[in-house]
C-alpha cells in the first residue's frame, strides 16, 4: 500500500484532485488513506449509499447524504478534506453527475481537497478520462504479508523457522489482506501449527480464487521434466534458469526470466514441456484461454488486464498460452481481427514491461498468421523450435510411454520400433503403444513388440499428410529459432563406421549432445550400426 500512498501524496501536492482507485479491499484502502490524510493534515470523509457521508475517524455521518448528488455537494463545503466515495461507478453513468464533477474540479484543486472513487470495477466516462487519475491498488506486498504472519506467530507463540516462514509468506502472495487473515485462521482452527503440510491450504485458496476468472485455469503439476522425451537442449536451458526467481539470482545481478516461445510440429511435446516447467521450478501453472478471452462479452482489453492482474498477484507463476496463433489470427478488417489487434497490443506492452515474476510460455504450430513484433527479442528470452523426434528421441519417448503403462522397456525391442517410426511425432508414438495394448488386451494376452510394430505399419503420420506445411515451418525456423534437440547426426556417423567418440571433452559434448549412444536391443540378435536419416 505504501507505493500507492506515496504516489497519491505526490499527485495531491501537484494539485491533482480527482482519483479512481481500483481495488476490492475497502478496509485496507480506507486504513491507508487515513494515514495519508493524517500526513497531509486533512480529515478523511467516506461515503457509501447505505451510510451516507461520514467522518472516517469518528463515524459521525451527515444526514441526508445517502443520495450521491447530495453527498457531492458536501465535497466543496466545510474545511478542506479528502473524500472517499465507495462503489461510485454506477452513478458515474449519470450525465448530471459527470457535469457536476467536471464543474467542481477547479474548486477542489484550488481549495486543497481531493475526491477519491474506490471500486473493483473501472467504469469511467470519457468526459472524465482526462481529469481523473486511475491507480490500481496492488495486493499486499511481501513485506505486508510478512508483518501479518509475524504478528500472528508471535501472538500465538508458534515456533516457525526462517525458511518455513518465507515459504508461507511467498505462498500467501496473490491474496487480499482479508483472505490472508482468513486462511491463517483456518489453519489455526484446524489444530495446525503452520507446518510444511499446511502450505496446501494456501494452494487450495488460490485455486478457489481462480475459479472466479473465466480465462485462467489452474493446472496441477501432472508432468515432470524427466517424462519429456528428447528436447535436451531446451531442458538444459530451463534447468539453468531453475533458480531465476530467487533473491539469490537478483543479488547475483540476473534479471527475472521473462518467457519462452516454443514453435514446432504438432504432437512433439510443446504443451507437455510447458506443464513440466512449473513442476521443475516448483511454481503454480496457469493456462490463459486467449481465444475465449477475445470472444467473451465485454472489452477484450479489460478481460486481458483482469487475467494479467490475477496472474501477477499469484506470482511467481508460469502462464501458459497454448496455440497462440489461433487466438490472434483473423481476417483483416473484421471485428474479431480489430479486437485481437487491440488485445495483442496490450499483451505485447505487458510482455515488454512486466516486472512481476510471471514466466510466459507461448506455444504455436504456425507462425504465418502471427505479427512479427510478437517474436522480437525482448518479448521472450528465447524462441525454440521443436522438430519431429530423431531416432534416439523416439526410443526414449517409447520407453517413457511403456513405463507409464506399467511395462518394462527391456521386454521390448525399442530400437527397432524407433527406427520404424521415422517421421512420427511423440503423440503418434504414444497412440501406437495404446492401440497395441488394446489389441493385445482384446486377445487376453500381454502386449509385445510385434503388436506395436503392427500398429506402426498401419499408421500414416501427420508429417506425411502435411508434408508441405511442415517443410515450410522448418524452413522458417532454420535461421530464426534455436533447436530444442541436440543434433545427433554425428553419433550415427561414428556408430556406422565403428569409430569411438573423440577424447576431447568439448568435441565429445558436441557429438553426444547430452544424448546417450543407442544400446543393443534387450532381445533378439545384436544389431549392426547403420546411419539414420534425419527427419
Amino acid at each position: 500500500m505504501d507505493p500507492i500512498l506515496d504516489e497519491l501524496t505526490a499527485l495531491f501536492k501537484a494539485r491533482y484532485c480527482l482519483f479512481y482507485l481500483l481495488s476490492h479491499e475497502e478496509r485496507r484502502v480506507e486504513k491507508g488513506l487515513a494515514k495519508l490524510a493524517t500526513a497531509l493534515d486533512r480529515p478523511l470523509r467516506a461515503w457509501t449509499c447505505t451510510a451516507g457521508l461520514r467522518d472516517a475517524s469518528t463515524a459521525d455521518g451527515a444526514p441526508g447524504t445517502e443520495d450521491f448528488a447530495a453527498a457531492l455537494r458536501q465535497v466543496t463545503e466545510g474545511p478542506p478534506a479528502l473524500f472517499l466515495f465507495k462503489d461510485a461507478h454506477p452513478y458515474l453513468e449519470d450525465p448530471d453527475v459527470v457535469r457536476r464533477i467536471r464543474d467542481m474540479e477547479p474548486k477542489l484543486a484550488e481549495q486543497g481537497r481531493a475526491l477519491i472513487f474506490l471500486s473493483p470495477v473501472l467504469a469511467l466516462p470519457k468526459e472524465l478520462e482526462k481529469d481523473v487519475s486511475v491507480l490500481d491498488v496492488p495486493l499486499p506486498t511481501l513485506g505486508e504479508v510478512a508483518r501479518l504472519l509475524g504478528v500472528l506467530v508471535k501472538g500465538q507463540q508458534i515456533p516457525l523457522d526462517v525458511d518455513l516462514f518465507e515459504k508461507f509468506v511467498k505462498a500467501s502472495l496473490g491474496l487480499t489482506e482479508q483472505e490472508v487473515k482468513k486462511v491463517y485462521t483456518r489453519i489455526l482452527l484446524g489444530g495446525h501449527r503452520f507446518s510444511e503440510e499446511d502450505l496446501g491450504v494456501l494452494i487450495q485458496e488460490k485455486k478457489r480464487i481462480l475459479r472466479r476468472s473465466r480465462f485462467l485455469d489452474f493446472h496441477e503439476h501432472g508432468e515432470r521434466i524427466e517424462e519429456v522425451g528428447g528436447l535436451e537442449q531446451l531442458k538444459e536451458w530451463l534447468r539453468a534458469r531453475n533458480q531465476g526467481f530467487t533473491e539469490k539470482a537478483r543479488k547475483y545481478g540476473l534479471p527475472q526470466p521473462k518467457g519462452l516461445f516454443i514453435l514446432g510440429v504438432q504432437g512433439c511435446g510443446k504443451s507437455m514441456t510447458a506443464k513440466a516447467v512449473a513442476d521443475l521450478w516448483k511454481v503454480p501453472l496457469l493456462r490463459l484461454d486467449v481465444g475465449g478471452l477475445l470472444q467473451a462479452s465485454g472489452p477484450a482489453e479489460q478481460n486481458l488486464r483482469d487475467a494479467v492482474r490475477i496472474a501477477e498477484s499469484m506470482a511467481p507463476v508460469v502462464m501458459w498460452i497454448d496455440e497462440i496463433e489461433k487466438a490472434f489470427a483473423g481476417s483483416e478488417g473484421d471485428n474479431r481481427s480489430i479486437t485481437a489487434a487491440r488485445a495483442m497490443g496490450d499483451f505485447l506492452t505487458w510482455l515488454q514491461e512486466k516486472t512481476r515474476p510471471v514466466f510466459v510460455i507461448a506455444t504455436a504450430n504456425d507462425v504465418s498468421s502471427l505479427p512479427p513484433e510478437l517474436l522480437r527479442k525482448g518479448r521472450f528470452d528465447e524462441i525454440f523450435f521443436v522438430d519431429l523426434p530423431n531416432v534416439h528421441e523416439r526410443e526414449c519417448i517409447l520407453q517413457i510411454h511403456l513405463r507409464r503403462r506399467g511395462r518394462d522397456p527391456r521386454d521390448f525391442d525399442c530400437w527397432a520400433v524407433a527406427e520404424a517410426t521415422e517421421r512420427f511425432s511423440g503423440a503418434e508414438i504414444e497412440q501406437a503403444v495404446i492401440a497395441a495394448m488394446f489389441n493385445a488386451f482384446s486377445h487376453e494376452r500381454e502386449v509385445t513388440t510385434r503388436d506395436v510394430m503392427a500398429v506402426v505399419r498401419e499408421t500414416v503420420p501427420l508429417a506425411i499428410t502435411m508434408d508441405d506445411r511442415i517443410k515450410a515451418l522448418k524452413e522458417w525456423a532454420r535461421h530464426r529459432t534455436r533447436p530444442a534437440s541436440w543434433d545427433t547426426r554425428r553419433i550415427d556417423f561414428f556408430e556406422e563406421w565403428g569409430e569411438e567418440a573423440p577424447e576431447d571433452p568439448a568435441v565429445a559434448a558436441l557429438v553426444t549432445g547430452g544424448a546417450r549412444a543407442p544400446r543393443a536391443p534387450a532381445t533378439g540378435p545384436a544389431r549392426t550400426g547403420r546411419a539414420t536419416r534425419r527427419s
Side-chain angles (χ1 to χ4, degrees), residues 223-232 234-236 238-239 272-277 279-280 400:
E223 307 288 352
R224 294 185 299 113
I225 200 72
E226 295 79 10
E227 295 176 340
V228 179
L231 311 186
E232 293 301 329
L234 171 55
K235 288 194 282 190
E236 181 181 294
L238 291 169
R239 288 190 182 102
M272 193 176 186
T273 301
K275 296 175 186 176
V277 172
D279 181 71
L280 176 66
I400 288 170

Side-chain angles (χ1 to χ4, degrees), residues 299-330:
E301 302 95 312
Q302 183 63 47
N303 291 336
L304 179 62
R305 280 195 291 270
D306 291 342
V308 164
R309 189 180 297 117
I310 292 173
E312 287 189 330
S313 71
M314 297 181 68
V317 295
V318 171
M319 180 193 282
W320 169 36
I321 307 174
D322 196 22
E323 297 186 346
I324 193 172
E325 75 276 18
K326 291 184 179 179
F328 292 112

Side-chain angles (χ1 to χ4, degrees), residues 327-398:
F328 292 112
S331 303
E332 288 194 18
D334 64 18
N335 289 334
R336 186 176 183 276
S337 179
I338 295 170
T339 301
R342 288 201 301 262
M344 172 64 88
D346 285 354
F347 179 67
L348 292 179
T349 302
W350 174 71
L351 271 182
Q352 186 73 31
E353 299 178 358
K354 66 184 173 73
T355 56
R356 301 300 300 274
V358 178
F359 187 81
V360 178
I361 299 183
T363 62
N365 301 318
D366 181 22
V367 291
S368 59
S369 57
L370 285 175
E373 57 266 28
L374 177 65
L375 304 177
R376 182 174 65 79
K377 281 288 186 183
R379 311 288 192 199
F380 296 95
D381 296 322
E382 191 61 89
I383 302 174
F384 277 94
F385 177 67
V386 178
D387 202 347
L388 290 165
N390 58 50
V391 65
H392 306 285
E393 292 174 325
R394 294 196 297 272
E395 183 187 25
C396 179
I397 291 167
L398 178 64

Side-chain angles (χ1 to χ4, degrees), residues 128-142:
L128 294 176
E129 285 180 355
K130 297 294 184 181
D131 299 316
V132 178
S133 301
V134 179
L135 300 175
D136 197 343
V137 179
L139 290 164
T141 62
L142 195 74

Side-chain angles (χ1 to χ4, degrees), residues 95-386:
D96 293 339
V97 168
V98 172
R99 184 68 263 170
R100 187 182 298 275
I101 293 172
R102 297 193 73 185
D103 287 343
M104 69 168 59
E105 192 267 341
K107 297 178 184 177
L108 296 176
E110 183 181 335
Q111 297 173 359
R113 305 169 187 266
L115 177 57
I116 304 167
F117 302 118
L118 172 61
S119 172
V121 179
L122 179 59
L124 198 60
K126 288 189 177 295
E127 296 89 337
L128 294 176
E129 285 180 355
K130 297 294 184 181
D131 299 316
V132 178
S133 301
V134 179
L135 300 175
D136 197 343
V137 179
L139 290 164
T141 62
L142 195 74
E144 289 177 286
V145 176
R147 283 194 292 272
L148 282 173
L149 183 56
V151 169
L152 178 66
V153 297
K154 185 177 180 181
Q156 297 291 324
Q157 298 182 343
I158 299 172
L160 202 60
D161 64 67
V162 175
D163 289 339
L164 197 53
F165 184 92
E166 184 178 353
K167 284 182 181 180
F168 268 98
V169 169
K170 288 186 175 180
S172 302
L173 293 177
L175 304 179
T176 65
E177 184 179 282
Q178 200 62 24
E179 286 168 337
V180 171
K181 290 178 179 178
K182 285 179 179 178
V183 76
Y184 288 171
T185 303
R186 179 180 164 190
I187 292 172
L188 287 174
L189 291 178
H192 302 287
R193 305 292 286 177
F194 288 84
S195 63
E196 192 86 32
E197 292 74 23
D198 295 325
L199 288 168
V201 178
L202 285 164
I203 299 300
Q204 292 299 323
E205 184 68 16
K206 288 191 173 183
K207 283 188 192 177
R208 187 183 63 79
I209 292 169
L210 274 181
R211 293 192 193 105
R212 306 171 195 163
S213 172
R214 294 177 291 168
F215 314 112
L216 281 174
D217 297 320
F218 188 99
H219 275 252
E220 298 285 355
H221 293 172
E223 307 288 352
R224 294 185 299 113
I225 200 72
E226 295 79 10
E227 295 176 340
V228 179
L231 311 186
E232 293 301 329
Q233 189 162 203
L234 171 55
K235 288 194 282 190
E236 181 181 294
W237 188 91
L238 291 169
R239 288 190 182 102
R241 286 154 182 78
N242 191 13
Q243 301 297 316
F245 290 139
T246 62
E247 287 302 314
K248 184 178 179 181
R250 300 292 83 72
K251 291 177 181 178
Y252 191 78
L254 289 171
Q256 292 175 348
K258 278 189 172 182
L260 182 63
F261 194 98
I262 308 179
L263 171 70
V265 183
Q266 293 180 18
C268 288
K270 301 185 298 297
S271 299
M272 193 176 186
T273 301
K275 296 175 186 176
V277 172
D279 181 71
L280 176 66
W281 291 356
K282 303 304 177 189
V283 296
L285 173 64
L286 308 180
R287 181 180 178 274
L288 177 63
D289 180 10
V290 184
L293 184 147
L294 295 176
Q295 295 170 9
S297 58
E301 302 95 312
Q302 183 63 47
N303 291 336
L304 179 62
R305 280 195 291 270
D306 291 342
V308 164
R309 189 180 297 117
I310 292 173
E312 287 189 330
S313 71
M314 297 181 68
V317 295
V318 171
M319 180 193 282
W320 169 36
I321 307 174
D322 196 22
E323 297 186 346
I324 193 172
E325 75 276 18
K326 291 184 179 179
F328 292 112
S331 303
E332 288 194 18
D334 64 18
N335 289 334
R336 186 176 183 276
S337 179
I338 295 170
T339 301
R342 288 201 301 262
M344 172 64 88
D346 285 354
F347 179 67
L348 292 179
T349 302
W350 174 71
L351 271 182
Q352 186 73 31
E353 299 178 358
K354 66 184 173 73
T355 56
R356 301 300 300 274
V358 178
F359 187 81
V360 178
I361 299 183
T363 62
N365 301 318
D366 181 22
V367 291
S368 59
S369 57
L370 285 175
E373 57 266 28
L374 177 65
L375 304 177
R376 182 174 65 79
K377 281 288 186 183
R379 311 288 192 199
F380 296 95
D381 296 322
E382 191 61 89
I383 302 174
F384 277 94
F385 177 67
V386 178

